[in-house]
Amino acid sequence: MTDTTTPRVALVTGGSGGIGKAVVEKLAADGFAVAVHYAGNQAKADALVEQITANGGRAIAVGGDVADEIAMKEAFDATETAFGGIDVVVNTAGIMLLSPIATLDFAELDRMHRTNIRGAFVVSQLAANRLRAGGALINFSTSVTRTQFPTYGAYVASKAAVESITMILARELRGKDITVNAVAPGPTATPLFLNGKDDAAIQGLAKAVPLERLGQPEDIAETVAFLAGPARWVNGQVIFTNGGLA
């Protein structure tokens, strides 16, 4: 059974901006002690830590390339040293580089493979070995694995791999009381999504959703908080958090 006498602890990769930042803020508001992971912008992570601690929460910043197993082991170590253990790992870290398959730059494919696939393996392996009973690993995919928009081929290939890693790890952790799920956001107003798109493209994607708006990072954070806390019977699933985008 989950120990409810001590605060739960979460490590959020890519936690200094975008969806990751909203996840950190939501989990901190829910009473989690949070390790805010960053890859390159320590100042943003430190500012978020200061914001959380100023509001009475507990947080630290941890750095490292998610695809580097030694750097990420150190991030897990630092989290355990600060808070005594880890209950939830949320792996939001990822990059998105768009191109038609016919003209794909293979250097960009390799970059996405390293961060999105190797990074998912590194973080998932560490989580599998370090999460406490009652814990949760939450990886990130994308709704474009189903909508199949042009130019997303290489990115979607990397995220489809993340879904497969998630589904299989959930079954490999039988008996450990650890859930493993993936969240697949739809169009969400983050710098990663908005970069390189003009207003017409953005409005077109917003109108494609039955709710006729882009998602906000807070919308995605609500789903993560559900999987991180009360959703103990949701396991081995991909949750499409996309406003009904078909």
Side-chain angles (χ1 to χ4, degrees):
M1 297 293 292
T2 303
D3 180 1
T4 58
T5 62
T6 58
R8 283 165 68 80
V9 177
L11 167 60
V12 182
T13 72
S16 63
I19 290 172
K21 180 174 183 287
V23 168
V24 167
E25 291 173 334
K26 173 60 177 172
L27 293 180
D30 285 351
F32 280 75
V34 185
V36 182
H37 164 269
Y38 63 91
N41 196 329
Q42 182 176 352
K44 285 177 66 177
D46 287 342
L48 184 53
V49 168
E50 289 177 11
Q51 171 190 317
I52 291 167
T53 55
N55 289 328
R58 301 173 67 200
I60 61 168
V62 295
D65 174 2
V66 289
D68 182 338
E69 64 271 30
I70 295 177
M72 290 310 297
K73 177 182 179 300
E74 292 172 351
F76 274 69
D77 289 345
T79 304
E80 289 182 339
T81 298
F83 302 127
I86 305 176
D87 302 289
V88 174
V89 172
V90 186
N91 186 29
T92 76
I95 59 174
M96 181 173 67
L97 304 169
L98 303 182
S99 167
I101 292 169
T103 56
L104 176 66
D105 181 337
F106 285 103
E108 292 191 346
L109 177 67
D110 290 343
R111 281 182 61 199
M112 282 193 288
H113 186 287
R114 175 176 171 78
T115 297
N116 296 357
I117 301 180
R118 180 184 168 88
F121 267 106
V122 167
V123 173
S124 294
Q125 184 179 89
L126 284 162
N129 288 293
R130 306 285 284 269
L131 283 170
R132 294 188 284 209
L137 167 62
I138 302 154
N139 283 319
F140 264 69
S141 180
T142 171
S143 286
V144 191
T145 56
R146 302 296 183 269
T147 58
Q148 301 164 350
F149 294 145
T151 74
Y152 281 76
Y155 175 69
V156 165
S158 73
K159 289 302 188 178
V162 172
E163 290 188 14
S164 296
I165 294 165
T166 300
M167 299 301 96
I168 290 172
L169 182 57
R171 287 147 182 88
E172 290 179 344
L173 295 183
R174 173 183 292 275
K176 291 192 173 183
D177 191 21
I178 294 170
T179 61
V180 187
N181 295 288
V183 175
T188 305
T190 66
L192 179 71
F193 171 79
L194 297 173
N195 183 43
K197 296 181 176 69
D198 60 23
D199 286 342
I202 293 168
Q203 289 305 312
L205 286 165
K207 290 295 184 183
V209 177
L211 295 179
E212 295 191 333
R213 67 172 176 87
L214 294 180
Q216 296 299 315
E218 294 76 16
D219 294 319
I220 314 305
E222 290 285 351
T223 300
V224 172
F226 173 64
L227 295 171
R232 299 307 305 164
W233 196 236
V234 180
N235 190 29
Q237 304 298 317
V238 180
I239 309 298
F240 289 85
T241 308
N242 59 22
L245 184 68

